[in-house]
Amino acid sequence: MFVQIHTVILRYLQMELKSPFTTSFGTMKTRPALLVEVVDEDGVCGWGEGVAFSAPWYTEETIETTWHMLETFLIPLLFQAPVYHPDELRDRFSIVRRNYMAKAALEGAVWDAFAKRHGVSLSSALGGEKKEVKVGVSIGIQPITNILKRIEQALAEGYQRIKIKIKPEWDVNVVREIRHHFPDVPLMVDANSAYSLRDIDRLQALDDYELLMIEQPLAVDDIVDHAKLQAKLKTPICLDESICSYEDAKRAIELKSCRVINIKIGRVGGLTEAKRIHDLCQQHHIPVWCGGMLEGGVGRAHSIALATLPHFSLPGDTAASANYWERDFIDPEVTVDNGRIFVRQQIGIGYTVNLTEVERRTVRSKIYKKSRG
């Protein structure tokens, strides 16, 4: 049974965050989202979400470059032939260099349509086994009193891991203060590439606080210096931005650049590549977890499905919708029960896209049709 996509609809949404989110890069008050809807010849719809930001501070991609790559290259490639399995799209899209978030958005929509065509959940289509996934919460840079209150609230809600953002001069003292109030909480820090090897003493000082991991301390494209740093740290390094493909993960494992890998669907080019990295890490006993990109409901649903694969052993970043939005654009919204998300067993992503909420936030949209003949 194949999927023949004949229509693709792109929608650019502007989402307002409940509260500003600050990292070492800057502060966001709003979050753009690019929704991708595909429709096959029998009217089956699939949904994907582009997770690039408005500026290229996380990767080189932006929401505008994502739209351009989809419109000019990837949608025409999708229209060229039926899809017998979504895994085929990795090779079909390979003539386009990088642009992983654009590829992931379209591939994810096809995965959803494929699962619906086969009458199974996206989790099952991927080979997922878990009926629930453990989740943590990510807390941006803000006054320490606010961080402490947010941690207390998150723990009361049952979140199983706390992640805080750090940067030079906003690191050791903050972790020390958190440990003073919460000595046993599972805690990790995310540097978003804010450090270099010149900061090794500062990073070694974090070894005193029994952190789960330090996420991406060094440059976004580095695995060599991370290997040097990991050899001098007791705390595991987790790579994020450095891992954009199976090959990146393979090299990082061989060089011993990290002891943990964060898998984000958008960063690695889609669910197929995410599965390949998961399998590689499983073979090498490298723990993995599913990272977040402040996604809307569709992207969040894809991450939940991915996290049901067996080797996702650490709590991910897929917090409840209400953690970020007054109202998400899916029904029901993603909820967390005592630090767990129960995986919906309905076909496809398991959630319904609320078109009223989508249209309310849509800045622009465009429909693309496969030409006849």
Side-chain angles (χ1 to χ4, degrees):
M1 186 186 303
F2 62 83
V3 177
Q4 177 68 72
I5 302 300
H6 69 77
T7 302
V8 177
I9 306 170
L10 300 184
R11 295 178 175 90
Y12 183 128
L13 279 61
Q14 196 65 256
M15 308 271 289
E16 185 169 348
L17 289 159
K18 286 177 76 171
S19 57
F21 192 84
T22 300
T23 71
S24 60
F25 300 127
T27 299
M28 284 184 292
K29 297 180 180 179
T30 59
R31 172 70 165 102
L34 200 162
L35 277 188
V36 180
E37 181 184 5
V38 300
V39 185
D40 77 3
E41 57 189 5
D42 294 323
V44 176
C45 297
W47 292 90
E49 183 174 340
V51 297
F53 295 101
S54 56
W57 51 260
Y58 177 73
T59 72
E60 69 276 12
E61 290 183 82
T62 70
I63 194 163
E64 295 292 352
T65 67
T66 300
W67 187 294
H68 168 65
M69 297 307 299
L70 286 165
E71 177 177 70
T72 309
F73 301 103
L74 298 174
I75 292 173
L77 285 169
L78 176 62
F79 284 159
Q80 281 183 359
V83 178
Y84 290 88
H85 193 283
D87 285 348
E88 300 165 17
L89 294 178
R90 177 179 175 272
D91 289 336
R92 193 183 302 186
F93 292 165
S94 66
I95 64 171
V96 176
R97 299 289 179 88
R98 298 184 66 87
N99 289 282
Y100 298 120
M101 293 180 181
K103 294 175 181 178
L106 188 55
E107 187 224 57
V110 175
W111 265 106
D112 183 30
F114 175 83
K116 289 171 179 172
R117 289 280 297 189
H118 286 77
V120 299
S121 68
L122 179 59
S123 168
S124 295
L126 291 168
E129 301 174 357
K130 301 173 188 173
K131 303 304 180 187
E132 61 185 57
V133 296
K134 298 181 291 186
V135 292
V137 69
S138 179
I139 300 173
I141 295 171
Q142 53 193 285
I144 185 63
T145 53
N146 293 1
I147 290 176
L148 295 174
K149 288 178 183 176
R150 183 67 190 97
I151 292 174
E152 186 174 17
Q153 178 187 1
L155 294 177
E157 293 169 356
Y159 283 101
Q160 299 191 29
R161 181 225 69 203
I162 303 296
K163 177 169 85 172
I164 66 162
K165 299 287 186 175
I166 61 170
K167 62 182 180 179
E169 308 303 326
W170 184 263
D171 41 35
V172 179
N173 290 342
V174 177
V175 172
R176 182 186 301 118
E177 187 68 13
I178 292 171
R179 275 290 179 236
H180 175 72
H181 289 84
F182 304 99
D184 300 318
V185 67
L187 179 66
M188 62 175 284
V189 297
D190 183 4
N192 288 118
S193 310
Y195 297 83
S196 72
L197 287 180
R198 293 189 298 272
D199 302 303
I200 192 165
D201 290 345
R202 194 165 201 88
L203 293 167
Q204 284 179 317
L206 293 170
D207 275 340
D208 294 336
Y209 299 99
E210 297 184 359
L211 299 175
L212 293 174
M213 66 193 85
I214 301 172
E215 188 177 1
Q216 196 71 35
L218 307 181
V220 296
D221 57 354
D222 172 74
I223 56 174
V224 174
D225 283 352
H226 276 104
K228 296 175 183 176
L229 178 62
Q230 182 65 94
K232 295 181 179 295
L233 294 180
K234 292 187 298 183
T235 306
I237 287 175
C238 169
L239 288 182
D240 176 357
E241 292 95 325
S242 291
I243 307 299
C244 295
S245 65
Y246 174 95
E247 288 74 20
D248 288 341
K250 182 173 180 289
R251 286 188 285 265
I253 292 169
E254 289 177 358
L255 289 173
K256 299 182 180 178
S257 304
C258 61
R259 296 180 195 152
V260 182
I261 287 180
N262 166 357
I263 302 178
K264 293 179 180 175
I265 300 167
R267 195 193 68 234
V268 304
L271 287 162
T272 296
E273 192 74 352
K275 285 196 306 168
R276 295 180 75 227
I277 295 170
H278 163 275
D279 294 348
L280 175 72
C281 290
Q282 187 173 32
Q283 292 165 17
H284 291 273
H285 309 291
I286 300 292
V288 298
W289 56 282
C290 189
M293 290 287 292
L294 296 178
E295 305 98 331
V298 169
R300 209 164 287 266
H302 281 266
S303 293
I304 293 166
L306 178 67
T308 65
L309 294 178
H311 194 58
F312 280 91
S313 55
L314 298 169
D317 271 348
T318 311
S321 297
N323 200 52
Y324 301 108
W325 320 113
E326 292 292 348
R327 177 67 168 88
D328 208 337
F329 51 72
I330 56 168
D331 291 319
E333 296 182 274
V334 176
T335 57
V336 173
D337 181 2
N338 197 30
R340 300 166 298 167
I341 295 174
F342 293 100
V343 181
R344 293 176 61 77
Q345 299 304 310
Q346 289 82 352
I347 63 172
I349 60 174
Y351 298 84
T352 301
V353 174
N354 184 321
L355 289 175
T356 300
E357 291 296 327
V358 168
E359 296 304 324
R360 186 169 69 84
R361 296 175 171 91
T362 298
V363 176
R364 70 176 187 267
S365 63
K366 190 170 180 179
I367 300 172
Y368 304 85
K369 294 278 190 180
K370 183 180 186 296
S371 60
R372 298 292 179 182

PDB file of all heavy atoms in Angstrom, residues 37-65:
ATOM      1  N   GLU A  37       0.628  20.222   5.904  1.00  0.00           N
ATOM      2  CA  GLU A  37      -0.454  19.256   5.741  1.00  0.00           C
ATOM      3  C   GLU A  37      -0.320  18.610   4.374  1.00  0.00           C
ATOM      4  O   GLU A  37      -0.206  19.312   3.363  1.00  0.00           O
ATOM      5  CB  GLU A  37      -1.815  19.938   5.860  1.00  0.00           C
ATOM      6  CG  GLU A  37      -2.992  18.994   5.714  1.00  0.00           C
ATOM      7  CD  GLU A  37      -4.340  19.705   5.739  1.00  0.00           C
ATOM      8  OE1 GLU A  37      -4.360  20.945   5.784  1.00  0.00           O
ATOM      9  OE2 GLU A  37      -5.371  19.003   5.704  1.00  0.00           O
ATOM     10  N   VAL A  38      -0.290  17.287   4.342  1.00  0.00           N
ATOM     11  CA  VAL A  38      -0.279  16.568   3.064  1.00  0.00           C
ATOM     12  C   VAL A  38      -1.599  15.812   2.928  1.00  0.00           C
ATOM     13  O   VAL A  38      -2.184  15.370   3.919  1.00  0.00           O
ATOM     14  CB  VAL A  38       0.916  15.592   2.948  1.00  0.00           C
ATOM     15  CG1 VAL A  38       2.231  16.335   3.063  1.00  0.00           C
ATOM     16  CG2 VAL A  38       0.832  14.471   3.981  1.00  0.00           C
ATOM     17  N   VAL A  39      -2.072  15.699   1.685  1.00  0.00           N
ATOM     18  CA  VAL A  39      -3.328  15.000   1.413  1.00  0.00           C
ATOM     19  C   VAL A  39      -3.073  14.011   0.283  1.00  0.00           C
ATOM     20  O   VAL A  39      -2.533  14.388  -0.771  1.00  0.00           O
ATOM     21  CB  VAL A  39      -4.446  15.975   1.014  1.00  0.00           C
ATOM     22  CG1 VAL A  39      -5.773  15.226   0.846  1.00  0.00           C
ATOM     23  CG2 VAL A  39      -4.587  17.102   2.036  1.00  0.00           C
ATOM     24  N   ASP A  40      -3.467  12.735   0.493  1.00  0.00           N
ATOM     25  CA  ASP A  40      -3.251  11.754  -0.563  1.00  0.00           C
ATOM     26  C   ASP A  40      -4.484  11.659  -1.463  1.00  0.00           C
ATOM     27  O   ASP A  40      -5.489  12.363  -1.262  1.00  0.00           O
ATOM     28  CB  ASP A  40      -2.824  10.401   0.012  1.00  0.00           C
ATOM     29  CG  ASP A  40      -3.960   9.586   0.611  1.00  0.00           C
ATOM     30  OD1 ASP A  40      -5.136  10.021   0.541  1.00  0.00           O
ATOM     31  OD2 ASP A  40      -3.685   8.507   1.159  1.00  0.00           O
ATOM     32  N   GLU A  41      -4.414  10.799  -2.454  1.00  0.00           N
ATOM     33  CA  GLU A  41      -5.465  10.734  -3.470  1.00  0.00           C
ATOM     34  C   GLU A  41      -6.799  10.248  -2.921  1.00  0.00           C
ATOM     35  O   GLU A  41      -7.850  10.437  -3.540  1.00  0.00           O
ATOM     36  CB  GLU A  41      -5.025   9.833  -4.616  1.00  0.00           C
ATOM     37  CG  GLU A  41      -4.651   8.424  -4.192  1.00  0.00           C
ATOM     38  CD  GLU A  41      -4.006   7.618  -5.301  1.00  0.00           C
ATOM     39  OE1 GLU A  41      -3.756   8.190  -6.374  1.00  0.00           O
ATOM     40  OE2 GLU A  41      -3.749   6.426  -5.081  1.00  0.00           O
ATOM     41  N   ASP A  42      -6.786   9.638  -1.730  1.00  0.00           N
ATOM     42  CA  ASP A  42      -8.027   9.191  -1.097  1.00  0.00           C
ATOM     43  C   ASP A  42      -8.503  10.143  -0.002  1.00  0.00           C
ATOM     44  O   ASP A  42      -9.427   9.825   0.748  1.00  0.00           O
ATOM     45  CB  ASP A  42      -7.839   7.797  -0.507  1.00  0.00           C
ATOM     46  CG  ASP A  42      -7.607   6.746  -1.578  1.00  0.00           C
ATOM     47  OD1 ASP A  42      -8.234   6.851  -2.648  1.00  0.00           O
ATOM     48  OD2 ASP A  42      -6.774   5.844  -1.365  1.00  0.00           O
ATOM     49  N   GLY A  43      -7.838  11.302   0.106  1.00  0.00           N
ATOM     50  CA  GLY A  43      -8.248  12.295   1.089  1.00  0.00           C
ATOM     51  C   GLY A  43      -7.678  12.101   2.472  1.00  0.00           C
ATOM     52  O   GLY A  43      -8.070  12.808   3.415  1.00  0.00           O
ATOM     53  N   VAL A  44      -6.758  11.159   2.628  1.00  0.00           N
ATOM     54  CA  VAL A  44      -6.103  10.968   3.932  1.00  0.00           C
ATOM     55  C   VAL A  44      -5.104  12.089   4.155  1.00  0.00           C
ATOM     56  O   VAL A  44      -4.268  12.378   3.287  1.00  0.00           O
ATOM     57  CB  VAL A  44      -5.396   9.600   3.997  1.00  0.00           C
ATOM     58  CG1 VAL A  44      -4.628   9.448   5.310  1.00  0.00           C
ATOM     59  CG2 VAL A  44      -6.404   8.471   3.842  1.00  0.00           C
ATOM     60  N   CYS A  45      -5.182  12.733   5.328  1.00  0.00           N
ATOM     61  CA  CYS A  45      -4.308  13.871   5.651  1.00  0.00           C
ATOM     62  C   CYS A  45      -3.206  13.448   6.609  1.00  0.00           C
ATOM     63  O   CYS A  45      -3.420  12.597   7.481  1.00  0.00           O
ATOM     64  CB  CYS A  45      -5.111  15.000   6.298  1.00  0.00           C
ATOM     65  SG  CYS A  45      -6.381  15.717   5.245  1.00  0.00           S
ATOM     66  N   GLY A  46      -2.066  14.061   6.457  1.00  0.00           N
ATOM     67  CA  GLY A  46      -0.967  13.883   7.399  1.00  0.00           C
ATOM     68  C   GLY A  46      -0.417  15.237   7.781  1.00  0.00           C
ATOM     69  O   GLY A  46      -0.425  16.172   6.973  1.00  0.00           O
ATOM     70  N   TRP A  47       0.080  15.333   9.008  1.00  0.00           N
ATOM     71  CA  TRP A  47       0.548  16.620   9.538  1.00  0.00           C
ATOM     72  C   TRP A  47       1.995  16.537   9.994  1.00  0.00           C
ATOM     73  O   TRP A  47       2.394  15.584  10.659  1.00  0.00           O
ATOM     74  CB  TRP A  47      -0.325  17.054  10.717  1.00  0.00           C
ATOM     75  CG  TRP A  47      -1.724  17.419  10.325  1.00  0.00           C
ATOM     76  CD1 TRP A  47      -2.804  16.583  10.254  1.00  0.00           C
ATOM     77  CD2 TRP A  47      -2.196  18.708   9.948  1.00  0.00           C
ATOM     78  NE1 TRP A  47      -3.910  17.280   9.852  1.00  0.00           N
ATOM     79  CE2 TRP A  47      -3.584  18.584   9.659  1.00  0.00           C
ATOM     80  CE3 TRP A  47      -1.585  19.963   9.828  1.00  0.00           C
ATOM     81  CZ2 TRP A  47      -4.357  19.673   9.256  1.00  0.00           C
ATOM     82  CZ3 TRP A  47      -2.362  21.053   9.432  1.00  0.00           C
ATOM     83  CH2 TRP A  47      -3.729  20.894   9.145  1.00  0.00           C
ATOM     84  N   GLY A  48       2.768  17.564   9.644  1.00  0.00           N
ATOM     85  CA  GLY A  48       4.130  17.743  10.125  1.00  0.00           C
ATOM     86  C   GLY A  48       4.318  19.179  10.575  1.00  0.00           C
ATOM     87  O   GLY A  48       3.488  20.050  10.277  1.00  0.00           O
ATOM     88  N   GLU A  49       5.404  19.429  11.284  1.00  0.00           N
ATOM     89  CA  GLU A  49       5.663  20.785  11.795  1.00  0.00           C
ATOM     90  C   GLU A  49       7.125  21.160  11.584  1.00  0.00           C
ATOM     91  O   GLU A  49       8.020  20.398  11.964  1.00  0.00           O
ATOM     92  CB  GLU A  49       5.313  20.876  13.284  1.00  0.00           C
ATOM     93  CG  GLU A  49       5.487  22.266  13.871  1.00  0.00           C
ATOM     94  CD  GLU A  49       4.993  22.376  15.311  1.00  0.00           C
ATOM     95  OE1 GLU A  49       4.184  21.514  15.745  1.00  0.00           O
ATOM     96  OE2 GLU A  49       5.412  23.312  16.009  1.00  0.00           O
ATOM     97  N   GLY A  50       7.351  22.304  10.978  1.00  0.00           N
ATOM     98  CA  GLY A  50       8.699  22.846  10.849  1.00  0.00           C
ATOM     99  C   GLY A  50       9.082  23.584  12.114  1.00  0.00           C
ATOM    100  O   GLY A  50       8.334  24.446  12.583  1.00  0.00           O
ATOM    101  N   VAL A  51      10.248  23.251  12.673  1.00  0.00           N
ATOM    102  CA  VAL A  51      10.599  23.758  14.007  1.00  0.00           C
ATOM    103  C   VAL A  51      11.715  24.809  13.982  1.00  0.00           C
ATOM    104  O   VAL A  51      12.239  25.174  15.032  1.00  0.00           O
ATOM    105  CB  VAL A  51      10.981  22.602  14.955  1.00  0.00           C
ATOM    106  CG1 VAL A  51       9.794  21.683  15.173  1.00  0.00           C
ATOM    107  CG2 VAL A  51      12.177  21.816  14.409  1.00  0.00           C
ATOM    108  N   ALA A  52      12.071  25.303  12.796  1.00  0.00           N
ATOM    109  CA  ALA A  52      13.085  26.358  12.734  1.00  0.00           C
ATOM    110  C   ALA A  52      12.541  27.631  13.386  1.00  0.00           C
ATOM    111  O   ALA A  52      11.326  27.854  13.452  1.00  0.00           O
ATOM    112  CB  ALA A  52      13.476  26.632  11.283  1.00  0.00           C
ATOM    113  N   PHE A  53      13.469  28.458  13.853  1.00  0.00           N
ATOM    114  CA  PHE A  53      13.086  29.715  14.475  1.00  0.00           C
ATOM    115  C   PHE A  53      13.096  30.846  13.449  1.00  0.00           C
ATOM    116  O   PHE A  53      13.402  30.641  12.271  1.00  0.00           O
ATOM    117  CB  PHE A  53      14.031  30.017  15.638  1.00  0.00           C
ATOM    118  CG  PHE A  53      13.925  29.027  16.766  1.00  0.00           C
ATOM    119  CD1 PHE A  53      14.873  28.015  16.919  1.00  0.00           C
ATOM    120  CD2 PHE A  53      12.871  29.084  17.658  1.00  0.00           C
ATOM    121  CE1 PHE A  53      14.777  27.095  17.947  1.00  0.00           C
ATOM    122  CE2 PHE A  53      12.757  28.164  18.698  1.00  0.00           C
ATOM    123  CZ  PHE A  53      13.723  27.169  18.844  1.00  0.00           C
ATOM    124  N   SER A  54      12.773  32.038  13.881  1.00  0.00           N
ATOM    125  CA  SER A  54      12.728  33.178  12.955  1.00  0.00           C
ATOM    126  C   SER A  54      14.115  33.665  12.582  1.00  0.00           C
ATOM    127  O   SER A  54      14.295  34.308  11.545  1.00  0.00           O
ATOM    128  CB  SER A  54      11.917  34.327  13.573  1.00  0.00           C
ATOM    129  OG  SER A  54      12.452  34.694  14.830  1.00  0.00           O
ATOM    130  N   ALA A  55      15.113  33.362  13.406  1.00  0.00           N
ATOM    131  CA  ALA A  55      16.503  33.756  13.139  1.00  0.00           C
ATOM    132  C   ALA A  55      17.389  32.514  13.239  1.00  0.00           C
ATOM    133  O   ALA A  55      17.062  31.568  13.965  1.00  0.00           O
ATOM    134  CB  ALA A  55      16.968  34.822  14.136  1.00  0.00           C
ATOM    135  N   PRO A  56      18.528  32.504  12.534  1.00  0.00           N
ATOM    136  CA  PRO A  56      19.367  31.292  12.485  1.00  0.00           C
ATOM    137  C   PRO A  56      20.327  31.162  13.656  1.00  0.00           C
ATOM    138  O   PRO A  56      21.522  30.962  13.475  1.00  0.00           O
ATOM    139  CB  PRO A  56      20.119  31.467  11.162  1.00  0.00           C
ATOM    140  CG  PRO A  56      20.278  32.942  11.035  1.00  0.00           C
ATOM    141  CD  PRO A  56      19.025  33.546  11.607  1.00  0.00           C
ATOM    142  N   TRP A  57      19.793  31.209  14.870  1.00  0.00           N
ATOM    143  CA  TRP A  57      20.694  31.139  16.029  1.00  0.00           C
ATOM    144  C   TRP A  57      20.842  29.724  16.583  1.00  0.00           C
ATOM    145  O   TRP A  57      21.768  29.457  17.339  1.00  0.00           O
ATOM    146  CB  TRP A  57      20.264  32.108  17.130  1.00  0.00           C
ATOM    147  CG  TRP A  57      18.836  32.039  17.566  1.00  0.00           C
ATOM    148  CD1 TRP A  57      17.816  32.866  17.193  1.00  0.00           C
ATOM    149  CD2 TRP A  57      18.247  31.109  18.477  1.00  0.00           C
ATOM    150  NE1 TRP A  57      16.641  32.508  17.792  1.00  0.00           N
ATOM    151  CE2 TRP A  57      16.874  31.436  18.593  1.00  0.00           C
ATOM    152  CE3 TRP A  57      18.741  30.028  19.201  1.00  0.00           C
ATOM    153  CZ2 TRP A  57      15.997  30.722  19.397  1.00  0.00           C
ATOM    154  CZ3 TRP A  57      17.864  29.311  20.009  1.00  0.00           C
ATOM    155  CH2 TRP A  57      16.518  29.669  20.104  1.00  0.00           C
ATOM    156  N   TYR A  58      19.925  28.822  16.244  1.00  0.00           N
ATOM    157  CA  TYR A  58      20.079  27.420  16.693  1.00  0.00           C
ATOM    158  C   TYR A  58      20.816  26.615  15.627  1.00  0.00           C
ATOM    159  O   TYR A  58      21.802  25.940  15.903  1.00  0.00           O
ATOM    160  CB  TYR A  58      18.715  26.812  17.006  1.00  0.00           C
ATOM    161  CG  TYR A  58      18.804  25.350  17.395  1.00  0.00           C
ATOM    162  CD1 TYR A  58      19.313  24.970  18.629  1.00  0.00           C
ATOM    163  CD2 TYR A  58      18.411  24.355  16.513  1.00  0.00           C
ATOM    164  CE1 TYR A  58      19.419  23.629  18.983  1.00  0.00           C
ATOM    165  CE2 TYR A  58      18.497  23.012  16.856  1.00  0.00           C
ATOM    166  CZ  TYR A  58      19.011  22.656  18.090  1.00  0.00           C
ATOM    167  OH  TYR A  58      19.121  21.334  18.420  1.00  0.00           O
ATOM    168  N   THR A  59      20.315  26.645  14.416  1.00  0.00           N
ATOM    169  CA  THR A  59      21.047  26.137  13.253  1.00  0.00           C
ATOM    170  C   THR A  59      20.982  27.224  12.184  1.00  0.00           C
ATOM    171  O   THR A  59      20.447  28.311  12.416  1.00  0.00           O
ATOM    172  CB  THR A  59      20.448  24.838  12.687  1.00  0.00           C
ATOM    173  OG1 THR A  59      19.203  25.137  12.034  1.00  0.00           O
ATOM    174  CG2 THR A  59      20.229  23.800  13.772  1.00  0.00           C
ATOM    175  N   GLU A  60      21.506  26.896  10.998  1.00  0.00           N
ATOM    176  CA  GLU A  60      21.483  27.870   9.904  1.00  0.00           C
ATOM    177  C   GLU A  60      20.090  28.082   9.338  1.00  0.00           C
ATOM    178  O   GLU A  60      19.843  29.037   8.587  1.00  0.00           O
ATOM    179  CB  GLU A  60      22.427  27.420   8.782  1.00  0.00           C
ATOM    180  CG  GLU A  60      21.986  26.189   8.005  1.00  0.00           C
ATOM    181  CD  GLU A  60      22.361  24.871   8.672  1.00  0.00           C
ATOM    182  OE1 GLU A  60      22.774  24.883   9.853  1.00  0.00           O
ATOM    183  OE2 GLU A  60      22.243  23.823   8.011  1.00  0.00           O
ATOM    184  N   GLU A  61      19.139  27.223   9.677  1.00  0.00           N
ATOM    185  CA  GLU A  61      17.800  27.320   9.116  1.00  0.00           C
ATOM    186  C   GLU A  61      16.936  28.343   9.852  1.00  0.00           C
ATOM    187  O   GLU A  61      17.096  28.576  11.044  1.00  0.00           O
ATOM    188  CB  GLU A  61      17.118  25.960   9.159  1.00  0.00           C
ATOM    189  CG  GLU A  61      17.701  24.948   8.192  1.00  0.00           C
ATOM    190  CD  GLU A  61      16.952  23.625   8.219  1.00  0.00           C
ATOM    191  OE1 GLU A  61      15.904  23.531   7.560  1.00  0.00           O
ATOM    192  OE2 GLU A  61      17.425  22.698   8.904  1.00  0.00           O
ATOM    193  N   THR A  62      16.002  28.923   9.113  1.00  0.00           N
ATOM    194  CA  THR A  62      14.958  29.777   9.681  1.00  0.00           C
ATOM    195  C   THR A  62      13.619  29.316   9.124  1.00  0.00           C
ATOM    196  O   THR A  62      13.554  28.502   8.192  1.00  0.00           O
ATOM    197  CB  THR A  62      15.154  31.257   9.326  1.00  0.00           C
ATOM    198  OG1 THR A  62      14.879  31.438   7.916  1.00  0.00           O
ATOM    199  CG2 THR A  62      16.567  31.740   9.636  1.00  0.00           C
ATOM    200  N   ILE A  63      12.551  29.858   9.645  1.00  0.00           N
ATOM    201  CA  ILE A  63      11.244  29.476   9.131  1.00  0.00           C
ATOM    202  C   ILE A  63      11.089  29.901   7.674  1.00  0.00           C
ATOM    203  O   ILE A  63      10.432  29.228   6.872  1.00  0.00           O
ATOM    204  CB  ILE A  63      10.123  30.033  10.031  1.00  0.00           C
ATOM    205  CG1 ILE A  63       8.791  29.338   9.699  1.00  0.00           C
ATOM    206  CG2 ILE A  63      10.032  31.548   9.927  1.00  0.00           C
ATOM    207  CD1 ILE A  63       7.739  29.491  10.761  1.00  0.00           C
ATOM    208  N   GLU A  64      11.737  31.016   7.284  1.00  0.00           N
ATOM    209  CA  GLU A  64      11.643  31.465   5.891  1.00  0.00           C
ATOM    210  C   GLU A  64      12.449  30.554   4.959  1.00  0.00           C
ATOM    211  O   GLU A  64      12.008  30.251   3.849  1.00  0.00           O
ATOM    212  CB  GLU A  64      12.114  32.907   5.764  1.00  0.00           C
ATOM    213  CG  GLU A  64      11.242  33.923   6.492  1.00  0.00           C
ATOM    214  CD  GLU A  64       9.861  34.088   5.868  1.00  0.00           C
ATOM    215  OE1 GLU A  64       9.622  33.523   4.783  1.00  0.00           O
ATOM    216  OE2 GLU A  64       9.021  34.771   6.487  1.00  0.00           O
ATOM    217  N   THR A  65      13.625  30.120   5.380  1.00  0.00           N
ATOM    218  CA  THR A  65      14.391  29.203   4.530  1.00  0.00           C
ATOM    219  C   THR A  65      13.681  27.855   4.435  1.00  0.00           C
ATOM    220  O   THR A  65      13.719  27.200   3.387  1.00  0.00           O
ATOM    221  CB  THR A  65      15.824  28.994   5.043  1.00  0.00           C
ATOM    222  OG1 THR A  65      15.826  28.286   6.296  1.00  0.00           O
ATOM    223  CG2 THR A  65      16.557  30.317   5.213  1.00  0.00           C
TER     224      THR A  65
END
